[in-house]
């Protein structure tokens, strides 16, 4: 069975409460965007060890059960969002790979924090983490209800993060919320001789960061003149600051940079931290 590469919003489902929350969030997002919603339920049939004569029957049973889960999710979403007409596929494939493949031509991929297969103690499952690290489109990991937030929040590290700011601006406009851009940086000044010299160097460094933030945000502000956009820089621990700030956000947006040629991480340390500890849904945007 080949998965169709749909446009619009793609969401991974597996019958778990976390996936149901993600599917409902994805449906609301598809409605706001005026686009299609496609559900993907992946089943790893090749990992089962059974006698050869029983293998086909077991695989067939797994796929039938998966189709029932998918049909139930489609029916529930269709009843709650009649204008959407959601579609779906059961895919005999690794779940993370299935969602990444399905989202190749999508505007957005959505996943829950964990599925049935994860340990209850984990804050974020490996499937969701792998989708965030490898998808070619923005990925939202759903936790909580974004309607409770006051604004959309986006973390900025450098000028190339303007793509994440543009994504956040569109999300804020669609949700009718203000946008808060936060550039958190860690001072590089250390062990300088004399307090006056340290103050001078910190002041210069702070000026550079304010200029970076202005260059990153001003073009987005010009493209969205009606958007209530506030930008600020802050010297401190990046991950902890973003996690704390997410308590009042409807959505936290973080950029994902291409990994370094040798041993580079696909997700930064800060992105890992907010995916595990944020108080709201998190969007990971490749830039």
């Amino acid at each position: 069975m080949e998965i169709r590469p749909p446009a619009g919003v793609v969401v991974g489902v597996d019958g778990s409460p976390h996936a149901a929350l993600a599917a409902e969030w994805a449906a609301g997002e598809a409605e706001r965007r005026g686009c299609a919603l496609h559900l993907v339920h992946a089943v790893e049939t090749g990992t089962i060890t059974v006698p050869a004569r029983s293998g086909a029957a077991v695989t067939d049973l797994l796929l039938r059960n998966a189709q029932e889960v998918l049909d139930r999710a489609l029916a529930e979403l269709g009843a709650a969002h009649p204008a959407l007409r959601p579609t779906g596929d059961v895919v005999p494939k690794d779940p993370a790979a299935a969602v990444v493949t399905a989202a190749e031509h999508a505007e957005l991929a959505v996943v829950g924090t964990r599925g049935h297969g994860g340990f209850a103690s984990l804050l974020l499952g490996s499937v969701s983490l792998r989708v965030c690290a490898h998808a070619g489109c923005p990925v939202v990991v759903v936790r909580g209800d974004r309607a409770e937030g006051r604004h959309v929040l986006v973390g900025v590290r450098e000028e190339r993060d303007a793509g994440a700011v543009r994504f956040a601006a569109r999300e804020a406009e669609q949700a009718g919320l203000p946008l808060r851009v936060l550039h958190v940086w860690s001072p590089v000044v250390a062990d300088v001789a004399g307090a006056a010299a340290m103050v001078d160097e910190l002041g210069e460094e702070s000026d550079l960061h304010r200029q970076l933030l202005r260059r990153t945000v001003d073009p987005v502000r010009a493209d969205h003149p009606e958007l209530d956009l506030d930008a600020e820089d802050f010297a401190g621990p990046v991950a902890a600051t973003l996690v704390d700030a997410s308590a009042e956000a409807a959505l936290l947006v973080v950029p994902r940079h291409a990994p370094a040629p040798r041993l580079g991480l696909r997700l930064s340390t800060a992105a890992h931290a907010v995916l595990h500890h944020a108080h709201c849904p998190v969007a990971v945007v490749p830039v």
Side-chain angles (χ1 to χ4, degrees):
M1 181 187 303
E2 290 295 327
I3 191 167
R4 296 192 303 271
V9 177
V10 169
V11 58
V13 298
D14 64 1
S16 68
H18 296 282
L21 183 64
E24 176 57 35
W25 194 96
E29 184 68 17
E31 284 185 326
R32 280 182 286 273
R33 290 168 175 255
C35 66
L37 175 66
H38 187 79
L39 280 60
V40 176
H41 183 13
V43 182
E44 292 189 82
T45 58
T47 60
I48 304 168
T49 303
V50 294
R53 290 189 300 175
S54 305
V58 171
T59 297
D60 185 60
L61 178 61
L62 285 173
L63 293 176
R64 286 204 311 270
N65 288 341
Q67 189 64 53
E68 290 177 2
V69 170
L70 177 64
D71 290 344
R72 186 162 54 249
L74 287 170
E76 291 173 354
L77 290 174
H81 306 270
L84 274 184
R85 300 182 182 274
T87 59
D89 279 321
V90 170
V91 186
K93 196 173 186 178
D94 168 77
V99 175
V100 169
T101 300
E104 284 180 354
H105 302 286
E107 299 177 25
L108 184 72
V110 181
V111 292
T113 51
R114 288 186 292 108
H116 280 307
F119 294 99
S121 60
L122 292 180
L123 296 174
L124 183 71
S126 62
V127 171
S128 300
L129 197 60
R130 286 161 57 204
V131 173
C132 288
H134 294 279
C137 67
V139 179
V140 173
V141 177
V142 176
R143 62 171 81 244
D145 184 355
R146 82 173 184 177
E148 298 176 357
R150 297 181 180 180
H151 50 246
V152 173
L153 173 69
V154 57
V156 170
R157 192 177 80 182
E158 52 192 81
E159 285 186 62
R160 61 174 167 163
D161 295 343
V165 179
R166 292 186 185 280
F167 173 88
R170 292 191 295 269
E171 288 294 306
E173 283 186 331
Q174 290 166 358
L177 293 173
L179 174 62
R180 183 187 182 198
V181 184
L182 187 59
H183 171 51
V184 186
W185 52 280
S186 299
V188 297
V189 176
D191 296 328
V192 293
M198 182 174 68
V199 169
D200 287 344
E201 291 191 33
L202 281 172
E204 292 176 4
E205 188 177 2
S206 180
D207 287 342
L208 290 175
H209 284 283
R210 279 194 292 270
Q211 293 170 25
L212 180 154
L213 181 60
R214 187 166 56 251
R215 290 193 303 269
T216 305
V217 170
D218 282 355
V220 180
R221 196 192 300 273
D223 290 341
H224 300 267
E226 302 300 320
L227 178 63
D228 181 0
L229 191 159
D230 177 60
E232 60 181 309
D233 69 285
F234 182 83
V238 178
T241 301
L242 290 175
V243 169
D244 288 346
S246 73
E248 296 185 347
L251 177 70
L252 169 58
V253 180
V254 293
R256 190 194 82 202
H257 300 123
R262 289 177 59 84
L263 305 178
L265 296 175
R266 283 189 170 268
L267 292 173
S268 68
T269 302
H272 271 277
V274 300
L275 283 168
H276 282 85
H277 300 290
H279 303 285
C280 66
V282 178
V284 178
V285 179
V287 296

